[in-house]
Amino acid sequence: MEQKNWNLLDEALGLHNNNAKPWPLCGRFVLVEDCVDTSAAFVLHHILKRSFSSYPSSAVLFLAFCHTFSHYDRVLRKLGCNLAAQRDNGRFFFLDMLMFQCPGEGKPNYGLASVFEQIERVITVLHQEKKSISIIIDDISFLEVAANGSSDDVLNLLHYCHTLTSEYGCAFIALDHKDIYLNGDRAAVILEMEYLADILVKAEPLATGLSKDVHGQLMVLDKETQHQHGISAIKTYDFHFKIKENGIECFYPGTKI
Amino acid sequence: MADSICRTLRDGALEGELAPTLTIKDSLASPFAFHVFSHILLQLSSHIIAQKSQSQGIVIVALKRSPSFYAAVLNMNGVDVASSNKWIHILDCYSDPLGWKEKIRKPVNVTNCSHQISLATSSFKTVKDLDKLFLVITDLGRGLVGENKSRFCVAIDSLSELLRHASLQSVAGLLSDLRSHDQISNIFGLLHSDLHDERAVAALEYMSSMVASVDPYYHSADGQKGSLDKSFSEQNFTKGKFNVRSKRRNGRVRVTCEEFKVEPGGISFAPVLSVDETAIAGLLPKVQFNLQLSEKERIDRSNVVLPFEHQGTGKPIKIYDGRRSLEESNSEANPISSGKKEDSAVGEIIYFRDSDDEMPDSDEDPDDDLDI
C-alpha cells in the first residue's frame, strides 16, 4: 500500500526497491549540499521518515549540531513519524552535540576522537542487534565550528565515519552548506567530501528566482554502485521540489500543472 | 595509451635505474581516476599471475578504499583471491589511519566479522609518519618476493590522502625513496588534482615518469555549471579523455590522447577519432541543409564527369594548365631558343605608348583632371 507514495527523491536515492536490502543506503555515504537560499534539511527529514516507516530493521544514530531533539520531533510528527516513540524502541539515537566544543590547543584530535568513540559505542551495540544503521550528521559546518575551525580534523572524523560504512555496512548521511566554502583556499574541504561521497544531493534555488509553486531544484548524483557488478557509471537525476507541511512533492521540470 | 602504460609498468625498472612511476590524476568534473587505477591494477595482476612481468608481487597501500573492496574487485574480475596471498598484500591505512579505533577498542581488536573473502592485510595506524610507512611497505614487499633480486610493485590508492596527512616534502621524499629502492619494479598512485595547489601537483608530476590525466569530455564554461549544458555534463559522467604524458630516458616527452568509456563492467579505452563527427554535429547550429556528405554521396561526387572533360571522347584529354603540356614538350626535341621563337610567332602583344609625358607604369590617375 506504500508503493504509490514513492516520489522522485526516493527513486533517486534508491529507497523505492525495498525488497532488495534491509536498508538501500547500506554502505553508502550520502552528502547533501544546500545553500542559503534553499535549505536541504528536508532531505534528512525525508530519509528519517522512510527509514522508520518502510524499513523495519533500520536504526538511526543522529548527531545534532544544529537543532534540538524537540525540533526534529515536531517536524517528523508532521510527516507522520513519532521520534520519541522510536527513541524508546531503541531505533533512534539522538546525540545532542549542540554544546559540544573541542578542547583548544594542546590536545589535538582528542575532541573529535571522543565523538567517534561515542558513535562507535552505539554502532557496536546496534550491530549486535542486527540492525541496519544510518549515521546522520545534521550540519557539518557546525561540526567545523566545534572543532575550532580545523577542517582537517573534520575530514578525519568523516573518514572514520566512512570506514564504518564498509566495516558495519552503515549508511552515512551528512548535510553541508556549499556556499560557505566558495572562497578559494577553503574549497578543498567540500571537494574532498564530494570525492568521498557515493551519492551527492545538491539543492539549489531555481535559476529564475523564487517561485510559489516550485521551491527549488534537486540534483542527485549516484556514483558507482560497486556492490552489484563491479564499478558502474554515474547516474544523475534532476527534478524540482515543493516542500509541504506534511511531505515533499517532487516532479520533473515543467510537469507540474 | 592505457596499454602502453601497462606495458611500461609490466617491464619495470632496469638495473640501477629509477622505477617507472605513474601518477593518475583527475578532477571532480571527471572523477574516474579510480576506475583507471583499478583497471591498471587488474592488468598488472593478470601479468603477475601469468609471470610475464618483472614484478612478482603487489603491495597496495589502501588509504581511500577498504581492503574488502579490493578483494571484491579482484574477485569480480576472476582473480582467485584465495591463492592470491602469495603475490598481493594490502597495507590497510584506511580503517584506522590515526589510531583512534585502537585507543577505543583496547586490545580486543578482532571484531572484523564481516566478509568471507579476504586478502592478506596488515594495518597501519600512524599515517602521518611516512618514514615508517616506507619501511613497512618495503618489508611487506620483501615478505612477498623474498630477499633476492626479484621485485614487487607498489600501488598507492590516494596520494591526495597522503598529502592531507603529511607535508609535500615528506610525500615527495617517500616517493623518491620508493623509486630508488632496488626491489621495486614500478609505482603507481592516484591524485585528485583539484584538492591541491598547483605547486604540489607539479612536484609530484616531476617525480613520475608517466602522468595519466583523466579529463572531462566536454569542458563546461565556468559560472554556468549544470543548468545549461545538461546533456554535455551527463556525457561527462560516462566518458572522458585520457591524456598520457610519458617521459623517456633521454628526456623526450610523448603526449598521447585516448578516449575512455565507463561501463558497468569497467572502463574501456579507444583511440580518438581524428574528426569526431558527433561532436561537430553537436556544436554546429541546426540548419535546414546538410553540411556533411555521406559516404555514398562522396563516391557519387567523384564519379561525376565535369563539363570540360567531355571533349576527350576517347583521346587523352588536354586541359591547358598554364604550362606547356607534356605532349608538346615531348614533340620538341629542339633547343630551347628555337622553341621560344616558335612561341613568339604564335601570338604577341604590341603596345605603343600614347605620349612621352606618360611615365611608364605611373601611379597617376588618368582621370585626375576631370571636373564633374
Side-chain angles (χ1 to χ4, degrees):
Chain A
M1 65 274 180
E2 191 79 42
Q3 300 302 334
K4 55 189 167 203
N5 292 335
W6 302 122
N7 60 24
L8 285 175
L9 180 59
D10 295 315
E11 211 173 290
L13 292 174
L15 296 178
H16 60 297
N17 50 1
N18 56 350
N19 43 13
K21 281 188 207 166
W23 174 231
L25 294 178
C26 270
R28 319 209 59 190
F29 172 28
V30 183
L31 177 66
V32 184
E33 278 180 17
D34 65 358
C35 47
V36 176
D37 290 333
T38 311
S39 162
F42 71 92
V43 179
L44 298 188
H45 304 154
H46 186 79
I47 292 175
L48 269 179
K49 176 192 160 192
R50 282 287 180 244
S51 156
F52 288 131
S53 64
S54 310
Y55 295 92
S57 70
S58 65
V60 174
L61 168 62
F62 200 96
L63 278 87
F65 286 90
C66 182
H67 292 294
T68 55
F69 177 77
S70 44
H71 166 86
Y72 288 106
D73 193 28
R74 286 201 188 101
V75 174
L76 266 290
R77 197 162 292 175
K78 283 276 186 192
L79 301 182
C81 177
N82 189 343
L83 277 192
Q86 299 291 357
R87 184 173 59 174
D88 297 340
N89 279 345
R91 287 184 65 194
F92 184 66
F93 289 83
F94 192 84
L95 292 185
D96 190 336
M97 295 284 168
L98 292 174
M99 305 303 286
F100 174 77
Q101 183 68 37
C102 283
E105 310 296 312
K107 274 190 169 179
N109 268 336
Y110 180 70
L112 291 184
S114 72
V115 172
F116 180 71
E117 195 179 337
Q118 290 185 45
I119 296 174
E120 204 185 25
R121 206 177 296 141
V122 178
I123 300 280
T124 39
V125 172
L126 284 175
H127 189 68
Q128 279 160 7
E129 295 172 12
K130 299 265 184 281
K131 291 262 169 57
S132 37
I133 312 148
S134 309
I135 307 166
I136 301 184
I137 297 184
D138 73 347
D139 202 328
I140 289 182
S141 58
F142 278 99
L143 173 62
E144 207 170 323
V145 174
N148 301 318
S150 155
S151 53
D152 223 23
D153 289 347
V154 173
L155 287 175
N156 285 339
L157 179 68
L158 291 183
H159 176 89
Y160 268 96
C161 290
H162 192 256
T163 61
L164 295 177
T165 62
S166 65
E167 211 165 318
Y168 295 105
C170 299
F172 178 42
I173 298 137
L175 172 71
D176 203 359
H177 309 302
K178 175 111 182 163
D179 32 14
I180 57 174
Y181 298 100
L182 282 181
N183 262 15
D185 55 333
R186 309 220 328 116
V189 183
I190 191 103
L191 289 180
E192 185 110 24
M193 283 191 268
E194 288 187 16
Y195 274 116
L196 206 59
D198 296 311
I199 301 180
L200 182 64
V201 182
K202 283 187 186 179
E204 286 168 356
L206 284 185
T208 47
L210 287 178
S211 149
K212 208 176 74 181
D213 293 325
V214 182
H215 290 163
Q217 51 188 346
L218 276 183
M219 189 173 88
V220 182
L221 261 180
D222 190 350
K223 294 194 216 167
E224 41 190 84
T225 40
Q226 35 175 280
H227 299 288
Q228 283 118 31
H229 34 251
I231 312 172
S232 73
I234 298 178
K235 275 183 281 184
T236 56
Y237 305 85
D238 288 283
F239 46 87
H240 290 167
F241 65 86
K242 182 182 182 184
I243 305 175
K244 296 173 164 177
E245 254 331 85
N246 56 355
I248 51 167
E249 193 181 341
C250 298
F251 44 90
Y252 287 116
T255 56
K256 185 141 187 287
I257 309 151
Chain B
M1 291 282 113
D3 289 341
S4 72
I5 290 179
C6 289
R7 245 176 283 134
T8 317
L9 291 181
R10 182 195 67 192
D11 294 344
L14 286 179
E15 190 62 47
E17 288 205 22
L18 294 180
T21 311
L22 166 70
T23 303
I24 310 162
K25 60 169 190 171
D26 69 352
S27 61
L28 258 187
S30 183
F32 295 110
F34 193 77
H35 293 69
V36 179
F37 181 85
S38 41
H39 174 81
I40 290 175
L41 183 67
L42 286 170
Q43 293 279 318
L44 270 182
S45 14
S46 67
H47 286 316
I48 289 175
I49 291 172
Q51 299 195 322
K52 276 193 289 192
S53 71
Q54 185 194 39
S55 62
Q56 293 167 9
I58 303 182
V59 176
I60 302 176
V61 184
L63 290 135
K64 202 88 187 197
R65 308 279 171 151
S66 62
S68 58
F69 174 81
Y70 285 104
V73 165
L74 289 175
N75 198 37
M76 213 120 43
N77 288 278
V79 178
D80 183 12
V81 174
S83 70
S84 65
N85 289 354
K86 274 174 270 165
W87 56 269
I88 200 162
H89 200 111
I90 296 181
L91 180 60
D92 180 10
C93 306
Y94 167 82
S95 304
D96 196 8
L98 302 169
W100 289 6
K101 287 183 187 169
E102 199 184 27
K103 254 183 251 163
I104 300 167
R105 286 177 193 167
K106 306 289 174 330
V108 193
N109 204 5
V110 199
T111 47
N112 200 358
C113 45
S114 47
H115 295 284
Q116 61 280 29
I117 31 172
S118 61
L119 293 166
T121 308
S122 32
S123 56
F124 187 75
K125 298 181 195 300
T126 46
V127 171
K128 290 188 193 296
D129 186 356
L130 293 189
D131 293 334
K132 198 176 156 199
L133 182 63
F134 171 70
L135 291 178
V136 174
I137 292 174
T138 47
D139 278 352
L140 287 180
R142 239 178 258 133
L144 283 178
V145 300
E147 276 295 343
N148 47 9
K149 278 283 165 203
S150 47
R151 295 175 184 246
F152 60 94
C153 58
V154 179
I156 303 174
D157 83 353
S158 180
L159 291 168
S160 297
E161 198 78 359
L162 276 186
L163 278 175
R164 193 164 71 76
H165 288 298
S167 67
L168 175 60
Q169 283 93 327
S170 43
V171 175
L174 171 74
L175 271 185
S176 87
D177 285 351
L178 288 175
R179 287 182 77 192
S180 44
H181 191 273
D182 59 358
Q183 274 198 290
I184 288 181
S185 157
N186 62 65
I187 304 154
F188 58 105
L190 192 159
L191 184 71
H192 299 307
S193 58
D194 44 2
L195 293 180
H196 314 287
D197 39 350
E198 284 171 33
R199 193 175 73 97
V201 177
L204 292 183
E205 285 186 19
Y206 268 117
M207 306 201 56
S208 35
S209 49
M210 286 176 290
V211 179
S213 109
V214 177
D215 293 326
Y217 200 74
Y218 297 109
H219 286 277
S220 64
D222 289 282
Q224 41 175 310
K225 36 190 160 161
S227 55
L228 244 183
D229 299 330
K230 277 271 159 57
S231 61
F232 284 174
S233 62
E234 246 162 55
Q235 291 208 41
N236 277 342
F237 293 133
T238 54
K239 56 184 181 177
K241 291 199 174 114
F242 186 66
N243 296 312
V244 177
R245 191 172 63 228
S246 49
K247 273 181 271 181
R248 288 281 193 74
R249 200 171 288 116
N250 57 9
R252 201 184 128 206
V253 176
R254 190 156 155 258
V255 179
T256 51
C257 185
E258 267 189 329
E259 280 175 22
F260 68 84
K261 217 172 178 181
V262 181
E263 289 149 348
I267 189 166
S268 62
F269 297 89
V272 181
L273 302 172
S274 55
V275 184
D276 192 341
E277 292 187 359
T278 52
I280 289 176
L283 291 174
L284 280 176
K286 290 253 181 292
V287 287
Q288 299 276 318
F289 45 89
N290 244 345
L291 289 176
Q292 255 87 40
L293 292 179
S294 70
E295 199 48 45
K296 184 178 175 297
E297 285 168 332
R298 203 165 304 178
I299 293 168
D300 286 348
R301 186 176 72 169
S302 64
N303 287 338
V304 170
V305 183
L306 294 176
F308 58 83
E309 290 177 336
H310 288 300
Q311 59 185 327
T313 58
K315 280 180 262 167
I317 309 152
K318 288 183 213 158
I319 301 172
Y320 182 63
D321 63 348
R323 290 163 296 185
R324 274 185 299 156
S325 67
L326 251 182
E327 211 182 343
E328 204 176 340
S329 58
N330 281 346
S331 68
E332 292 166 11
N334 308 342
I336 304 164
S337 58
S338 67
K340 240 182 188 167
K341 245 178 215 164
E342 203 178 327
D343 277 350
S344 65
V346 172
E348 57 190 311
I349 297 169
I350 302 162
Y351 166 68
F352 295 104
R353 253 191 299 168
D354 290 346
S355 62
D356 278 340
D357 54 276
E358 184 199 348
M359 293 297 287
D361 286 339
S362 74
D363 285 337
E364 211 179 323
D365 183 4
D367 299 330
D368 206 20
D369 48 349
L370 269 182
D371 186 22
I372 304 168

